[in-house]
Amino acid sequence: MVSKENKKTIIEMRKANKSYDYIASQLGLTKSAVQNVCRQAGLAGKKAKQRKRCKQCGALLPEDAPKRKIFCCQKCREDWWNKHQHLVHKRNPVITYCKTCGSPIENYKSYQKQYCNSHCFHMGKFGRDKAVNLK
């Protein structure tokens, strides 16, 4: 028989996402006794699970967030990937050369760059006079 005090403690601990085993060991009860109390309180079957945190800032993600969501916002996603460029899986790079200065450019299948930066682009498209004014 579980006392009223223990029942309240069990319910509080279960709402705090503690497992049946943990609660039973802390209160000196059997796991089945804890399960029965939780079942009576409508807390049965809910696994104690940790809420996921943002991979960049550590903020808690919403409980209803999709399983694959790992960042809390767009800024965190961009910051993390900018800091972890070595983890980006780029496929089949093709080396091309800038039309203006001849420096190498790493290109990928979907988009072929012709210039290494905006200054070279303006030099190549508009000539020397326009490029100096845009810089």
Side-chain angles (χ1 to χ4, degrees), residues 7-120:
K7 284 183 181 182
K8 285 182 182 179
T9 307
I10 290 170
I11 291 169
E12 288 172 8
M13 292 176 83
R14 192 64 181 158
K15 285 182 179 177
N17 289 326
K18 304 297 180 194
S19 68
Y20 294 136
D21 290 323
Y22 177 80
I23 297 169
S25 67
Q26 292 296 312
L27 299 177
L29 301 170
T30 63
K31 182 179 174 181
S32 61
V34 173
Q35 287 175 326
N36 287 336
V37 172
C38 290
R39 193 176 304 117
Q40 291 168 359
L43 300 172
K46 296 180 183 177
K47 289 185 179 178
K49 67 175 188 174
Q50 295 284 332
R51 281 181 54 194
K52 287 175 56 175
R53 293 187 172 272
C54 175
K55 208 170 187 178
Q56 173 65 16
C57 69
L60 286 173
L61 297 177
E63 288 184 20
D64 60 344
K67 271 187 180 179
R68 67 181 185 269
K69 185 169 182 163
I70 56 175
F71 301 106
C72 62
C73 62
Q74 181 73 15
K75 184 182 181 312
C76 281
R77 184 184 68 79
E78 290 171 357
D79 289 348
W80 193 89
W81 280 110
N82 285 335
K83 289 179 185 173
H84 297 86
Q85 285 290 320
H86 62 282
L87 298 176
V88 177
H89 299 292
K90 297 179 180 179
R91 292 188 229 166
N92 303 328
V94 175
I95 303 298
T96 57
Y97 297 93
C98 177
K99 284 185 171 183
T100 305
C101 69
S103 64
I105 305 169
E106 201 172 64
N107 280 308
Y108 296 92
K109 190 176 182 179
S110 62
Y111 178 69
Q112 297 289 316
K113 294 182 199 171
Q114 297 177 4
Y115 301 96
C116 62
N117 59 34
S118 61
H119 181 71
C120 282

